[in-house]
Amino acid sequence: QKSKMHGRKKTGIEPTEEEAAAVSSKVQAYKKLAAKLLDARNAITNDPSNAIKQLSVDMLPLQAQLLKVNPDFYSMWNHRKELLLAQQFQELSNE
């Protein structure tokens, strides 16, 4: 008997080696990017002045890339907010 997930029957068709390799490659790239961004967020937690440094490293495009794949990654949304607030504060301080 085939099990159902989300109201859909599983087909039982195994992916080809090429399909499995492509999925594995995407998963590895996602994990690597997520780890890099989480390390960056932890650096802000330990020292808030790191937020300004991270803006110069172009973290926002990397976050956008990750959030397109997984928009439910709330830690990344919070990190993004912290960077944008730091950017606003820096701009206001420079005026």
Coordinates of all heavy atoms in Angstrom, one line a residue:
Q1 N 0.9 -1.2 0.0 CA 0.0 0.0 0.0 C 0.9 1.2 0.0 O 1.8 1.3 0.8 CB -0.9 0.0 1.2 CG -1.7 1.2 1.3 CD -2.6 1.2 2.6 OE1 -2.6 0.2 3.3 NE2 -3.2 2.3 2.9
K2 N 0.6 2.1 -0.9 CA 1.3 3.4 -1.0 C 0.8 4.4 0.1 O -0.3 4.5 0.4 CB 1.1 4.0 -2.3 CG 1.4 3.1 -3.5 CD 2.7 3.5 -4.2 CE 2.9 2.7 -5.4 NZ 4.1 2.1 -5.5
S3 N 1.8 5.1 0.7 CA 1.4 6.0 1.7 C 1.1 7.4 1.1 O 1.5 7.6 0.0 CB 2.5 6.2 2.8 OG 3.7 6.7 2.2
K4 N 0.4 8.2 1.8 CA 0.0 9.5 1.3 C 0.8 10.6 2.1 O 1.0 10.4 3.3 CB -1.5 9.8 1.4 CG -2.3 9.0 0.4 CD -3.7 9.4 0.5 CE -4.5 8.7 -0.6 NZ -5.9 9.2 -0.6
M5 N 1.2 11.6 1.4 CA 1.8 12.8 2.1 C 1.1 14.0 1.5 O 1.1 14.2 0.3 CB 3.3 12.8 1.9 CG 3.9 14.0 2.5 SD 5.7 14.0 2.3 CE 6.2 12.9 3.7
H6 N 0.5 14.8 2.4 CA -0.2 16.0 2.0 C -1.3 15.7 1.0 O -1.6 16.4 0.0 CB 0.8 17.0 1.4 CG 1.9 17.4 2.2 ND1 1.8 18.1 3.4 CD2 3.2 17.1 2.2 CE1 2.9 18.2 4.0 NE2 3.8 17.6 3.3
G7 N -1.9 14.5 1.2 CA -3.1 14.2 0.3 C -2.7 13.6 -1.0 O -3.5 13.5 -1.9
R8 N -1.4 13.4 -1.3 CA -1.0 12.9 -2.6 C -0.3 11.5 -2.4 O 0.4 11.3 -1.4 CB 0.0 13.9 -3.2 CG -0.6 15.2 -3.5 CD 0.5 16.1 -4.1 NE -0.2 17.3 -4.5 CZ 0.0 17.9 -5.6 NH1 0.8 17.4 -6.5 NH2 -0.6 19.1 -5.9
K9 N -0.6 10.7 -3.3 CA 0.0 9.3 -3.2 C 1.5 9.4 -3.6 O 1.9 10.2 -4.6 CB -0.7 8.4 -4.2 CG -2.0 7.9 -3.7 CD -2.6 6.9 -4.6 CE -4.0 6.5 -4.2 NZ -4.5 5.5 -5.1
K10 N 2.3 8.7 -3.0 CA 3.7 8.6 -3.4 C 3.7 7.7 -4.6 O 3.1 6.6 -4.6 CB 4.6 8.0 -2.3 CG 4.9 9.0 -1.2 CD 5.8 8.3 -0.2 CE 6.4 9.3 0.8 NZ 7.4 8.7 1.6
T11 N 4.5 8.0 -5.6 CA 4.6 7.2 -6.8 C 5.5 6.0 -6.7 O 5.3 5.1 -7.4 CB 5.0 8.1 -8.0 OG1 6.3 8.6 -7.7 CG2 4.1 9.2 -8.2
G12 N 6.4 6.1 -5.8 CA 7.4 4.9 -5.7 C 8.4 4.9 -6.7 O 9.2 4.0 -6.8
I13 N 8.5 5.9 -7.6 CA 9.5 6.0 -8.6 C 10.7 6.6 -8.0 O 10.7 7.7 -7.4 CB 9.0 6.9 -9.8 CG1 7.8 6.3 -10.4 CG2 10.1 7.0 -10.8 CD1 7.1 7.1 -11.5
E14 N 11.8 5.9 -8.1 CA 13.1 6.3 -7.6 C 13.7 7.3 -8.6 O 13.6 7.1 -9.8 CB 14.0 5.2 -7.4 CG 13.6 4.2 -6.3 CD 13.7 4.8 -4.9 OE1 14.6 5.6 -4.6 OE2 12.8 4.5 -4.1
P15 N 14.3 8.4 -8.1 CA 15.0 9.3 -9.0 C 16.2 8.7 -9.6 O 16.8 7.8 -9.0 CB 15.4 10.5 -8.1 CG 15.4 9.9 -6.7 CD 14.4 8.8 -6.7
T16 N 16.6 9.2 -10.8 CA 17.8 8.7 -11.5 C 19.0 9.2 -10.7 O 18.9 10.0 -9.9 CB 17.8 9.2 -12.9 OG1 18.0 10.6 -12.9 CG2 16.6 8.8 -13.7
E17 N 20.1 8.6 -11.0 CA 21.3 9.0 -10.3 C 21.6 10.5 -10.6 O 22.1 11.2 -9.7 CB 22.5 8.2 -10.8 CG 22.6 6.8 -10.2 CD 23.8 6.0 -10.6 OE1 24.9 6.6 -10.8 OE2 23.7 4.8 -10.7
E18 N 21.3 10.9 -11.8 CA 21.6 12.3 -12.2 C 20.6 13.2 -11.4 O 21.1 14.3 -10.9 CB 21.3 12.5 -13.7 CG 22.4 11.8 -14.6 CD 22.0 11.8 -16.0 OE1 20.8 12.2 -16.3 OE2 22.8 11.4 -16.8
E19 N 19.4 12.9 -11.3 CA 18.4 13.7 -10.5 C 18.8 13.7 -9.0 O 18.8 14.8 -8.4 CB 17.0 13.1 -10.6 CG 16.4 13.3 -12.0 CD 15.1 12.5 -12.2 OE1 14.9 11.5 -11.5 OE2 14.3 12.9 -13.1
A20 N 19.2 12.6 -8.5 CA 19.6 12.5 -7.1 C 20.9 13.3 -6.9 O 21.0 14.0 -5.8 CB 19.9 11.0 -6.7
A21 N 21.8 13.3 -7.8 CA 23.0 14.1 -7.7 C 22.7 15.6 -7.8 O 23.3 16.4 -7.0 CB 24.0 13.7 -8.8
A22 N 21.8 16.0 -8.6 CA 21.4 17.4 -8.7 C 20.8 17.9 -7.4 O 21.1 19.0 -6.9 CB 20.5 17.6 -9.9
V23 N 19.9 17.1 -6.9 CA 19.2 17.4 -5.6 C 20.3 17.5 -4.5 O 20.3 18.4 -3.7 CB 18.1 16.4 -5.3 CG1 17.6 16.6 -3.8 CG2 17.0 16.5 -6.2
S24 N 21.2 16.5 -4.4 CA 22.2 16.5 -3.4 C 23.1 17.8 -3.5 O 23.5 18.4 -2.5 CB 23.1 15.3 -3.6 OG 24.1 15.3 -2.6
S25 N 23.4 18.1 -4.7 CA 24.3 19.3 -5.0 C 23.5 20.6 -4.5 O 24.2 21.4 -3.8 CB 24.6 19.5 -6.5 OG 25.2 20.6 -6.7
K26 N 22.3 20.7 -4.7 CA 21.5 21.9 -4.3 C 21.4 21.9 -2.8 O 21.5 23.0 -2.2 CB 20.1 21.8 -4.9 CG 20.1 22.2 -6.4 CD 18.6 22.1 -6.9 CE 18.6 22.4 -8.4 NZ 17.2 22.4 -8.9
V27 N 21.2 20.7 -2.2 CA 21.1 20.7 -0.7 C 22.4 21.1 -0.1 O 22.4 21.8 0.9 CB 20.7 19.2 -0.3 CG1 20.9 19.1 1.2 CG2 19.3 19.0 -0.7
Q28 N 23.5 20.6 -0.6 CA 24.9 21.0 -0.1 C 25.1 22.5 -0.2 O 25.6 23.1 0.7 CB 26.0 20.2 -0.8 CG 25.9 18.7 -0.5 CD 26.0 18.4 1.0 OE1 26.8 19.0 1.7 NE2 25.2 17.4 1.5
A29 N 24.7 23.0 -1.4 CA 24.9 24.5 -1.5 C 24.1 25.3 -0.6 O 24.5 26.3 0.0 CB 24.6 24.9 -3.0
Y30 N 22.8 24.8 -0.3 CA 21.9 25.5 0.6 C 22.5 25.4 2.0 O 22.5 26.4 2.7 CB 20.6 24.8 0.6 CG 19.6 25.3 1.6 CD1 18.9 26.5 1.4 CD2 19.5 24.7 2.8 CE1 18.0 26.9 2.4 CE2 18.6 25.1 3.8 CZ 17.9 26.3 3.6 OH 17.0 26.8 4.5
K31 N 23.0 24.2 2.4 CA 23.5 24.1 3.8 C 24.8 24.9 4.0 O 25.0 25.5 5.1 CB 23.9 22.6 4.0 CG 22.7 21.7 4.3 CD 23.1 20.3 4.6 CE 21.9 19.4 4.9 NZ 22.3 18.0 5.2
K32 N 25.6 25.0 3.0 CA 26.8 25.8 3.1 C 26.5 27.3 3.2 O 27.0 28.0 4.1 CB 27.7 25.6 1.8 CG 29.0 26.3 1.8 CD 29.8 26.0 0.6 CE 31.1 26.7 0.6 NZ 31.9 26.5 -0.7
L33 N 25.5 27.8 2.4 CA 25.1 29.2 2.5 C 24.4 29.5 3.8 O 24.7 30.5 4.5 CB 24.2 29.5 1.3 CG 23.7 31.0 1.2 CD1 24.9 31.9 1.2 CD2 22.8 31.1 0.0
A34 N 23.6 28.6 4.3 CA 22.9 28.8 5.5 C 23.9 28.8 6.7 O 23.8 29.7 7.6 CB 21.8 27.7 5.8
A35 N 24.9 27.9 6.7 CA 25.9 27.9 7.7 C 26.7 29.2 7.7 O 26.9 29.8 8.8 CB 26.8 26.7 7.6
K36 N 27.0 29.7 6.6 CA 27.8 31.0 6.5 C 27.0 32.1 7.0 O 27.5 33.0 7.8 CB 28.1 31.2 5.0 CG 28.9 32.5 4.8 CD 29.2 32.7 3.3 CE 30.0 34.0 3.1 NZ 30.4 34.2 1.7
L37 N 25.7 32.2 6.7 CA 24.9 33.3 7.1 C 24.5 33.2 8.6 O 24.5 34.2 9.3 CB 23.6 33.4 6.3 CG 23.8 33.8 4.9 CD1 22.5 33.6 4.0 CD2 24.3 35.2 4.8
L38 N 24.4 32.0 9.1 CA 24.1 31.8 10.6 C 25.4 32.2 11.4 O 25.3 32.8 12.5 CB 23.7 30.4 10.9 CG 22.3 30.0 10.5 CD1 22.0 28.5 10.7 CD2 21.3 30.9 11.3
D39 N 26.6 31.9 10.9 CA 27.8 32.3 11.5 C 27.9 33.8 11.5 O 28.3 34.4 12.6 CB 29.0 31.7 10.8 CG 29.2 30.3 11.1 OD1 28.6 29.7 12.0 OD2 30.0 29.6 10.3
A40 N 27.5 34.5 10.5 CA 27.5 35.9 10.4 C 26.5 36.5 11.4 O 26.8 37.5 12.1 CB 27.1 36.4 9.0
R41 N 25.3 35.9 11.5 CA 24.3 36.4 12.5 C 24.9 36.2 13.9 O 24.7 37.1 14.8 CB 23.0 35.6 12.4 CG 22.0 36.0 13.4 CD 20.7 36.3 12.9 NE 19.9 37.1 13.8 CZ 19.1 36.6 14.7 NH1 19.0 35.3 14.9 NH2 18.4 37.4 15.5
N42 N 25.5 35.1 14.2 CA 26.1 34.9 15.5 C 27.2 35.9 15.8 O 27.3 36.3 17.0 CB 26.7 33.5 15.7 CG 25.6 32.4 15.7 OD1 24.4 32.7 16.1 ND2 25.9 31.2 15.3
A43 N 27.9 36.4 14.8 CA 28.9 37.4 15.0 C 28.2 38.7 15.4 O 28.8 39.5 16.3 CB 29.7 37.6 13.7
I44 N 27.1 39.0 14.9 CA 26.3 40.2 15.3 C 25.8 40.1 16.8 O 25.9 41.0 17.5 CB 25.2 40.5 14.4 CG1 25.7 41.0 13.0 CG2 24.2 41.6 14.9 CD1 24.6 41.2 12.0
T45 N 25.4 38.9 17.1 CA 24.9 38.7 18.5 C 26.0 38.9 19.5 O 25.8 39.5 20.5 CB 24.4 37.2 18.6 OG1 23.3 37.0 17.6 CG2 23.8 36.9 20.0
N46 N 27.2 38.4 19.1 CA 28.3 38.6 20.0 C 28.9 40.0 20.1 O 29.3 40.5 21.1 CB 29.5 37.7 19.7 CG 29.1 36.2 19.8 OD1 28.2 35.9 20.6 ND2 29.7 35.3 19.0
D47 N 28.8 40.8 19.0 CA 29.2 42.1 18.9 C 28.4 42.9 17.8 O 28.6 42.7 16.6 CB 30.7 42.1 18.5 CG 31.3 43.5 18.4 OD1 30.6 44.5 18.8 OD2 32.5 43.7 18.0
P48 N 27.4 43.7 18.3 CA 26.6 44.4 17.3 C 27.3 45.3 16.3 O 26.8 45.5 15.2 CB 25.7 45.3 18.2 CG 25.7 44.5 19.5 CD 27.0 43.9 19.7
S49 N 28.5 45.7 16.6 CA 29.2 46.5 15.6 C 29.6 45.7 14.4 O 29.9 46.3 13.3 CB 30.5 47.2 16.2 OG 31.4 46.1 16.6
N50 N 29.5 44.4 14.5 CA 29.8 43.6 13.3 C 28.8 43.8 12.2 O 29.1 43.4 11.0 CB 29.9 42.1 13.7 CG 31.2 41.8 14.4 OD1 32.2 42.4 14.1 ND2 31.1 40.8 15.3
A51 N 27.6 44.3 12.5 CA 26.6 44.5 11.5 C 27.1 45.4 10.4 O 26.9 45.2 9.2 CB 25.3 45.0 12.1
I52 N 27.8 46.5 10.8 CA 28.3 47.4 9.8 C 29.3 46.8 8.9 O 29.3 47.0 7.7 CB 28.9 48.7 10.5 CG1 27.8 49.4 11.4 CG2 29.5 49.7 9.5 CD1 26.6 49.9 10.7
K53 N 30.2 46.0 9.5 CA 31.2 45.3 8.7 C 30.6 44.3 7.7 O 31.0 44.2 6.6 CB 32.1 44.5 9.6 CG 32.9 45.4 10.6 CD 33.7 44.5 11.6 CE 34.2 45.4 12.7 NZ 34.7 44.6 13.9
Q54 N 29.5 43.7 8.1 CA 28.8 42.7 7.2 C 28.2 43.3 6.1 O 28.0 42.7 5.0 CB 27.8 41.8 8.0 CG 28.5 40.9 9.0 CD 27.5 40.0 9.7 OE1 26.4 39.9 9.3 NE2 27.9 39.5 10.8
L55 N 27.7 44.6 6.2 CA 27.1 45.3 5.1 C 28.1 45.4 3.9 O 27.7 45.4 2.8 CB 26.6 46.6 5.5 CG 25.3 46.6 6.3 CD1 25.0 47.9 6.9 CD2 24.1 46.1 5.5
S56 N 29.4 45.6 4.3 CA 30.4 45.8 3.2 C 30.7 44.5 2.5 O 31.3 44.5 1.5 CB 31.7 46.4 3.8 OG 32.2 45.5 4.8
V57 N 30.3 43.4 3.1 CA 30.6 42.1 2.5 C 29.4 41.6 1.7 O 29.4 40.5 1.1 CB 30.8 41.0 3.7 CG1 31.2 39.7 3.1 CG2 31.9 41.5 4.6
D58 N 28.4 42.4 1.5 CA 27.3 42.1 0.7 C 26.5 40.9 1.2 O 26.2 40.0 0.4 CB 27.7 41.9 -0.8 CG 28.2 43.2 -1.4 OD1 27.7 44.3 -1.1 OD2 29.1 43.1 -2.3
M59 N 26.1 40.9 2.4 CA 25.3 39.9 3.0 C 23.9 39.9 2.5 O 23.2 38.8 2.4 CB 25.3 40.0 4.5 CG 26.5 39.5 5.2 SD 26.7 37.8 5.1 CE 28.4 37.6 5.6
L60 N 23.4 41.1 2.1 CA 21.9 41.1 1.7 C 21.6 40.3 0.5 O 20.6 39.6 0.5 CB 21.5 42.6 1.5 CG 21.5 43.4 2.8 CD1 21.2 44.9 2.5 CD2 20.6 42.9 3.9
P61 N 22.5 40.3 -0.6 CA 22.2 39.5 -1.7 C 22.2 38.0 -1.4 O 21.5 37.2 -1.9 CB 23.2 39.8 -2.7 CG 23.7 41.2 -2.4 CD 23.6 41.3 -0.9
L62 N 23.2 37.6 -0.5 CA 23.3 36.2 -0.1 C 22.0 35.8 0.7 O 21.5 34.7 0.5 CB 24.5 36.0 0.8 CG 25.8 36.1 0.1 CD1 27.0 36.0 1.1 CD2 26.0 35.2 -1.0
Q63 N 21.5 36.7 1.6 CA 20.3 36.4 2.3 C 19.1 36.3 1.3 O 18.3 35.4 1.5 CB 20.0 37.5 3.3 CG 20.9 37.5 4.5 CD 20.7 38.7 5.4 OE1 20.2 39.7 4.9 NE2 21.0 38.5 6.6
A64 N 19.0 37.1 0.4 CA 18.0 37.1 -0.6 C 18.0 35.7 -1.3 O 16.9 35.1 -1.5 CB 18.1 38.2 -1.6
Q65 N 19.1 35.3 -1.7 CA 19.3 34.0 -2.4 C 18.7 32.9 -1.5 O 18.0 32.0 -2.0 CB 20.7 33.8 -2.7 CG 21.0 32.5 -3.5 CD 22.5 32.4 -3.7 OE1 23.3 33.3 -3.5 NE2 22.9 31.2 -4.2
L66 N 19.1 32.9 -0.2 CA 18.7 31.8 0.7 C 17.2 31.9 1.0 O 16.5 30.9 1.0 CB 19.4 31.9 2.0 CG 19.2 30.8 3.0 CD1 19.9 29.5 2.5 CD2 19.7 31.2 4.4
L67 N 16.7 33.1 1.1 CA 15.2 33.3 1.5 C 14.3 33.0 0.3 O 13.2 32.7 0.5 CB 15.0 34.7 2.0 CG 15.6 35.0 3.4 CD1 15.6 36.4 3.7 CD2 14.8 34.1 4.4
K68 N 14.9 33.1 -0.9 CA 14.1 32.7 -2.1 C 13.8 31.2 -2.1 O 12.8 30.7 -2.5 CB 14.8 33.0 -3.4 CG 14.7 34.5 -3.8 CD 15.4 34.8 -5.1 CE 15.4 36.3 -5.4 NZ 16.1 36.6 -6.6
V69 N 14.8 30.4 -1.6 CA 14.7 29.0 -1.5 C 13.8 28.6 -0.3 O 13.0 27.7 -0.4 CB 16.1 28.3 -1.4 CG1 16.0 26.8 -1.2 CG2 16.9 28.6 -2.7
N70 N 14.0 29.3 0.8 CA 13.3 28.9 2.0 C 12.9 30.2 2.7 O 13.5 30.7 3.6 CB 14.2 28.1 3.0 CG 13.5 27.7 4.2 OD1 12.3 27.9 4.4 ND2 14.3 27.1 5.1
P71 N 11.7 30.7 2.4 CA 11.2 31.9 3.0 C 10.8 31.8 4.5 O 10.5 32.8 5.1 CB 10.0 32.3 2.1 CG 9.6 31.1 1.4 CD 10.8 30.2 1.3
D72 N 10.7 30.6 5.0 CA 10.3 30.4 6.4 C 11.5 30.3 7.3 O 11.4 29.8 8.4 CB 9.5 29.1 6.5 CG 8.2 29.2 5.8 OD1 7.7 30.3 5.8 OD2 7.7 28.1 5.4
F73 N 12.7 30.8 6.9 CA 13.9 30.8 7.7 C 13.9 32.1 8.5 O 14.5 33.1 8.1 CB 15.1 30.7 6.8 CG 16.3 30.2 7.4 CD1 17.3 29.5 6.7 CD2 16.6 30.3 8.8 CE1 18.4 29.0 7.2 CE2 17.8 29.9 9.4 CZ 18.7 29.2 8.6
Y74 N 13.2 32.1 9.7 CA 13.0 33.3 10.4 C 14.3 33.9 11.0 O 14.4 35.2 11.1 CB 12.0 33.0 11.6 CG 10.7 32.6 11.0 CD1 10.2 31.3 11.2 CD2 9.9 33.5 10.3 CE1 9.0 30.9 10.7 CE2 8.7 33.1 9.8 CZ 8.2 31.8 10.0 OH 7.0 31.5 9.5
S75 N 15.3 33.1 11.3 CA 16.6 33.7 11.7 C 17.2 34.6 10.7 O 17.8 35.6 11.0 CB 17.5 32.6 12.1 OG 17.1 31.9 13.2
M76 N 17.0 34.2 9.4 CA 17.6 35.0 8.3 C 16.8 36.3 8.2 O 17.4 37.4 7.9 CB 17.5 34.3 7.0 CG 18.6 33.2 6.8 SD 20.3 33.9 7.0 CE 20.7 33.2 8.6
W77 N 15.5 36.3 8.3 CA 14.7 37.5 8.3 C 15.2 38.5 9.4 O 15.3 39.7 9.2 CB 13.2 37.3 8.4 CG 12.6 36.7 7.1 CD1 12.2 35.4 7.0 CD2 12.5 37.3 5.9 NE1 11.7 35.2 5.7 CE2 11.9 36.4 5.0 CE3 12.8 38.6 5.4 CZ2 11.6 36.7 3.6 CZ3 12.5 38.9 4.1 CH2 12.0 38.0 3.2
N78 N 15.4 37.9 10.6 CA 15.9 38.7 11.7 C 17.3 39.3 11.4 O 17.5 40.5 11.7 CB 15.9 37.9 13.0 CG 14.5 37.7 13.5 OD1 13.6 38.5 13.3 ND2 14.2 36.6 14.2
H79 N 18.1 38.5 10.9 CA 19.5 38.9 10.5 C 19.4 40.1 9.5 O 20.1 41.1 9.6 CB 20.3 37.8 10.0 CG 21.7 38.1 9.7 ND1 22.4 37.6 8.6 CD2 22.6 38.9 10.3 CE1 23.6 38.0 8.6 NE2 23.8 38.8 9.6
R80 N 18.5 39.9 8.5 CA 18.3 40.9 7.5 C 17.9 42.2 8.1 O 18.4 43.3 7.8 CB 17.3 40.4 6.5 CG 17.3 41.2 5.2 CD 16.4 40.4 4.2 NE 16.3 41.2 3.0 CZ 17.2 41.1 2.0 NH1 18.3 40.3 2.1 NH2 17.0 41.8 0.9
K81 N 16.9 42.1 9.1 CA 16.4 43.3 9.7 C 17.5 44.0 10.5 O 17.7 45.2 10.5 CB 15.3 42.9 10.7 CG 14.7 44.1 11.5 CD 13.7 43.6 12.5 CE 14.5 42.9 13.7 NZ 13.7 42.6 14.8
E82 N 18.4 43.2 11.2 CA 19.5 43.8 12.0 C 20.4 44.5 11.1 O 20.9 45.6 11.4 CB 20.2 42.7 12.7 CG 19.4 42.1 13.9 CD 19.9 40.8 14.4 OE1 20.9 40.2 13.8 OE2 19.3 40.3 15.3
L83 N 20.7 44.0 9.9 CA 21.6 44.6 9.0 C 21.0 45.9 8.4 O 21.7 46.9 8.3 CB 22.0 43.7 7.8 CG 22.9 42.5 8.2 CD1 23.1 41.6 6.9 CD2 24.2 42.9 8.8
L84 N 19.8 45.9 8.1 CA 19.1 47.1 7.5 C 19.0 48.2 8.6 O 19.2 49.3 8.2 CB 17.7 46.7 6.9 CG 17.8 45.8 5.7 CD1 16.4 45.3 5.3 CD2 18.4 46.5 4.5
L85 N 18.7 47.8 9.8 CA 18.7 48.8 10.9 C 20.1 49.4 11.1 O 20.2 50.6 11.3 CB 18.1 48.2 12.2 CG 16.6 47.9 12.2 CD1 16.2 47.1 13.4 CD2 15.8 49.1 12.0
A86 N 21.1 48.6 11.1 CA 22.5 49.1 11.2 C 22.8 50.0 10.1 O 23.4 51.1 10.3 CB 23.4 47.9 11.3
Q87 N 22.4 49.7 8.9 CA 22.6 50.6 7.7 C 21.9 51.9 7.9 O 22.5 53.0 7.6 CB 22.1 49.9 6.4 CG 22.4 50.6 5.2 CD 21.9 49.9 3.9 OE1 20.9 49.2 4.0 NE2 22.7 50.0 2.9
Q88 N 20.6 51.9 8.3 CA 19.9 53.1 8.6 C 20.6 53.9 9.6 O 20.7 55.2 9.5 CB 18.5 52.8 9.0 CG 17.5 52.6 7.9 CD 16.1 52.5 8.5 OE1 15.9 51.9 9.5 NE2 15.1 53.1 7.7
F89 N 21.0 53.3 10.7 CA 21.6 54.0 11.8 C 22.9 54.7 11.3 O 23.2 55.8 11.6 CB 21.9 53.1 13.0 CG 22.6 53.8 14.1 CD1 21.8 54.6 15.0 CD2 23.9 53.6 14.4 CE1 22.4 55.2 16.0 CE2 24.5 54.2 15.5 CZ 23.8 55.0 16.3
Q90 N 23.7 54.0 10.5 CA 24.9 54.5 10.0 C 24.7 55.7 9.1 O 25.4 56.7 9.1 CB 25.7 53.4 9.2 CG 27.1 53.8 8.7 CD 27.7 52.8 7.9 OE1 27.1 51.9 7.3 NE2 29.1 52.7 8.0
E91 N 23.7 55.6 8.2 CA 23.3 56.7 7.3 C 22.9 57.9 8.1 O 23.3 59.1 7.8 CB 22.3 56.3 6.3 CG 22.8 55.3 5.3 CD 21.6 54.7 4.4 OE1 20.5 55.1 4.6 OE2 22.0 53.9 3.5
L92 N 22.1 57.7 9.2 CA 21.7 58.8 10.0 C 22.8 59.5 10.8 O 22.9 60.7 11.0 CB 20.6 58.4 11.0 CG 19.2 58.0 10.3 CD1 18.3 57.5 11.4 CD2 18.6 59.3 9.7
S93 N 23.8 58.6 11.2 CA 24.9 59.1 11.9 C 25.8 59.9 11.0 O 26.5 60.8 11.5 CB 25.7 58.0 12.5 OG 24.9 57.3 13.4
N94 N 25.9 59.6 9.7 CA 26.7 60.3 8.8 C 26.2 61.7 8.4 O 26.9 62.5 7.8 CB 27.0 59.5 7.6 CG 27.9 58.3 7.9 OD1 28.6 58.3 8.9 ND2 27.8 57.2 7.1
E95 N 24.9 61.9 8.6 CA 24.3 63.1 8.2 C 24.6 64.3 9.1 O 24.9 64.2 10.2 CB 22.8 63.0 8.0 CG 22.4 62.1 6.9 CD 20.9 61.9 6.7 OE1 20.1 62.4 7.5 OE2 20.5 61.2 5.8

